[in-house]
Amino acid sequence: MRILVIEDEHKIASSLKRGLEQESFAVDVAFDGESGFDLGATEDYDVIVLDLMLPKMNGIEVCKKLRQEEQVHTPILMLTARGQVENRVEGLNCGADDYLVKPFAFSELLARIKALSRRPKSNLSPVLKTADLSLNPHSFEAKRGEKIISLSKKEFALLEYLLRHKGKVLTKDQIINNVWDYEADILPNTVEVYIGYLRNKIDKPFKHKKPLLKTVRGFGYKIETG
Ligand code: CA
């Protein structure tokens, strides 16, 4: 089993590395968010232990980017300091699987890591579905019925976000924050434009079927539940 530890406090990082190696895990350590993200995106790990407060890129950003941009579905255990309740919620929302509050006992960390690594991989990236529209975040494939829909990376991320919250109205701000974060050049109508692209691909060609992408005037957008 391979574990990536992303933690800037050298003392904690090295004691985790030592402890996990004694349990026969192979451990890589990154001391800032950027290098942690690079490792997480390029190497194959069984579990990623991710500290929340990190230099260069914080844990939430690392987690979001791994999940959304890199389609990495490795289980992530987030480490947070006491009192960072909001961050913890944000962490779980951005795709972390579990969290542990510092200071923690090594035995608890170990138990959580073992539990996460036992989760069947297929359950970590289930195919997202509504009606006859399906999207596989792992293979990057979208289909309506049997027809394969070809999407750009951004359209795919947008559809994935809508499908993960199907039936819920999502505001433009929510969409921007989750699909476009960290990119500066977003115009006010960017979301509308991309919703249009998506509609042209998932609804327009299927005239005899129920449209799935809805505009809720004054509020935002949603994908209908099947
Ligand atoms: Ca830290």
Side-chain angles (χ1 to χ4, degrees):
M1 282 240 303
R2 258 187 111 187
I3 312 276
L4 171 62
V5 174
I6 310 175
E7 164 64 89
D8 59 315
E9 283 166 75
H10 285 243
K11 240 173 118 178
I12 297 180
S14 59
S15 84
L16 286 184
K17 183 173 164 69
R18 218 173 27 245
L20 290 168
E21 282 174 349
Q22 273 168 10
E23 298 289 327
S24 319
F25 294 108
V27 183
D28 287 342
V29 177
F31 297 106
D32 65 71
E34 247 170 48
S35 53
F37 168 76
D38 287 343
L39 278 174
T42 50
E43 302 285 320
D44 226 358
Y45 294 100
D46 295 287
V47 175
I48 297 173
V49 178
L50 175 61
D51 187 33
L52 188 67
M53 303 299 278
L54 290 166
K56 295 190 182 168
M57 194 193 293
N58 71 38
I60 303 279
E61 293 173 68
V62 173
C63 181
K64 271 194 192 167
K65 284 179 64 129
L66 285 175
R67 293 283 192 255
Q68 294 174 1
E69 291 178 19
E70 304 296 326
Q71 309 299 321
V72 169
H73 298 282
T74 308
I76 293 179
L77 174 62
M78 194 86 106
L79 303 179
T80 70
R82 212 173 277 282
Q84 295 173 328
V85 180
E86 272 173 30
N87 292 338
R88 204 175 305 147
V89 171
E90 207 185 335
L92 292 174
N93 285 343
C94 80
D97 300 272
D98 197 2
Y99 66 87
L100 204 51
V101 179
K102 288 177 175 176
F104 51 83
F106 180 75
S107 57
E108 182 165 16
L109 176 95
L110 191 60
R112 302 279 181 101
I113 287 178
K114 285 183 175 166
L116 285 174
S117 68
R118 275 196 300 266
R119 285 193 190 176
K121 286 233 156 96
S122 57
N123 285 357
L124 294 167
S125 60
V127 173
L128 302 167
K129 271 188 181 161
T130 191
D132 62 345
L133 175 70
S134 68
L135 178 138
N136 184 332
H138 218 70
S139 66
F140 247 86
E141 195 176 65
K143 277 188 191 170
R144 187 132 193 210
E146 285 309 306
K147 195 174 182 304
I148 291 175
I149 301 170
S150 139
L151 299 171
S152 72
K153 208 170 172 183
K154 221 26 138 188
E155 290 162 357
F156 194 93
L158 174 59
L159 183 57
E160 180 175 354
Y161 180 63
L162 290 165
L163 276 171
R164 286 197 189 279
H165 301 88
K166 65 181 174 185
K168 230 182 105 182
V169 179
L170 300 163
T171 65
K172 275 188 203 171
D173 279 350
Q174 283 175 312
I175 293 172
I176 286 173
N177 288 335
N178 283 279
V179 181
W180 272 273
D181 38 0
Y182 324 117
E183 289 164 41
D185 55 343
I186 298 170
L187 300 168
N189 68 343
T190 297
V191 175
E192 278 152 67
V193 169
Y194 273 83
I195 289 282
Y197 292 158
L198 213 48
R199 192 168 270 145
N200 285 338
K201 291 185 175 182
I202 67 167
D203 281 336
K204 287 264 167 68
F206 304 93
K207 285 193 168 55
H208 55 293
K209 293 182 180 178
K210 187 179 99 172
L212 295 170
L213 187 51
K214 287 279 161 71
T215 300
V216 183
R217 213 161 282 285
F219 292 97
Y221 305 94
K222 72 168 177 176
I223 221 108
E224 296 282 20
T225 50

Coordinates of all heavy atoms in Angstrom, one line a residue, residues 6-9 12 51-55 79 102, ligand 1:
I6 N 0.7 14.8 2.9 CA 0.9 16.2 2.5 C 0.8 17.0 3.8 O -0.4 17.2 4.3 CB -0.1 16.7 1.4 CG1 -0.1 15.7 0.2 CG2 0.4 18.1 0.9 CD1 -1.1 16.0 -0.9
E7 N 1.9 17.3 4.4 CA 1.8 18.0 5.7 C 3.1 18.9 5.8 O 4.2 18.4 5.6 CB 1.8 16.9 6.8 CG 2.2 17.3 8.2 CD 1.2 18.3 8.8 OE1 0.2 17.8 9.4 OE2 1.4 19.5 8.6
D8 N 2.9 20.1 6.1 CA 4.0 21.1 6.2 C 4.8 21.0 7.5 O 5.9 21.5 7.6 CB 3.6 22.5 5.9 CG 2.5 23.0 6.8 OD1 1.6 22.2 7.1 OD2 2.6 24.1 7.3
E9 N 4.1 20.5 8.6 CA 4.8 20.5 9.9 C 5.8 19.2 9.8 O 5.3 18.1 9.9 CB 3.8 20.4 11.0 CG 3.2 21.7 11.3 CD 2.0 21.6 12.2 OE1 2.2 21.3 13.4 OE2 0.9 21.7 11.7
I12 N 5.4 16.4 12.5 CA 4.2 15.5 12.3 C 4.5 14.6 11.1 O 4.2 13.4 11.1 CB 2.9 16.3 12.1 CG1 2.6 17.1 13.4 CG2 1.8 15.4 11.8 CD1 1.4 18.0 13.3
D51 N -3.2 17.6 4.9 CA -3.3 18.6 5.9 C -4.1 19.8 5.3 O -4.0 20.0 4.1 CB -2.0 19.1 6.4 CG -2.1 20.1 7.6 OD1 -3.1 19.9 8.4 OD2 -1.3 21.0 7.7
L52 N -4.9 20.5 6.1 CA -5.7 21.5 5.6 C -4.9 22.8 5.4 O -5.0 23.4 4.3 CB -6.9 21.8 6.6 CG -7.9 22.8 6.1 CD1 -8.7 22.2 5.0 CD2 -8.9 23.1 7.3
M53 N -4.2 23.2 6.4 CA -3.4 24.5 6.3 C -2.0 24.2 5.7 O -1.2 23.6 6.4 CB -3.3 25.2 7.6 CG -4.6 25.4 8.3 SD -5.7 26.5 7.3 CE -5.0 28.1 7.8
L54 N -1.8 24.6 4.5 CA -0.6 24.3 3.8 C 0.0 25.5 3.1 O -0.8 26.3 2.6 CB -0.8 23.1 2.8 CG -1.1 21.7 3.3 CD1 -1.6 20.9 2.1 CD2 0.2 21.1 3.9
P55 N 1.3 25.6 3.0 CA 1.8 26.7 2.2 C 1.6 26.4 0.7 O 1.4 25.3 0.3 CB 3.3 26.8 2.5 CG 3.6 25.4 3.1 CD 2.3 24.9 3.7
L79 N -6.6 16.3 7.4 CA -6.2 16.6 8.8 C -6.6 18.1 9.1 O -6.2 19.0 8.3 CB -4.7 16.5 9.0 CG -4.2 15.1 8.7 CD1 -2.6 15.1 8.9 CD2 -4.8 14.0 9.5
K102 N -6.6 17.4 14.7 CA -5.4 17.4 15.4 C -5.6 17.9 16.8 O -6.4 18.8 17.0 CB -4.4 18.3 14.7 CG -3.8 17.8 13.3 CD -2.9 18.9 12.8 CE -2.3 18.5 11.5 NZ -1.5 19.6 11.0
Ligands
CA1 CA -0.3 22.7 8.4

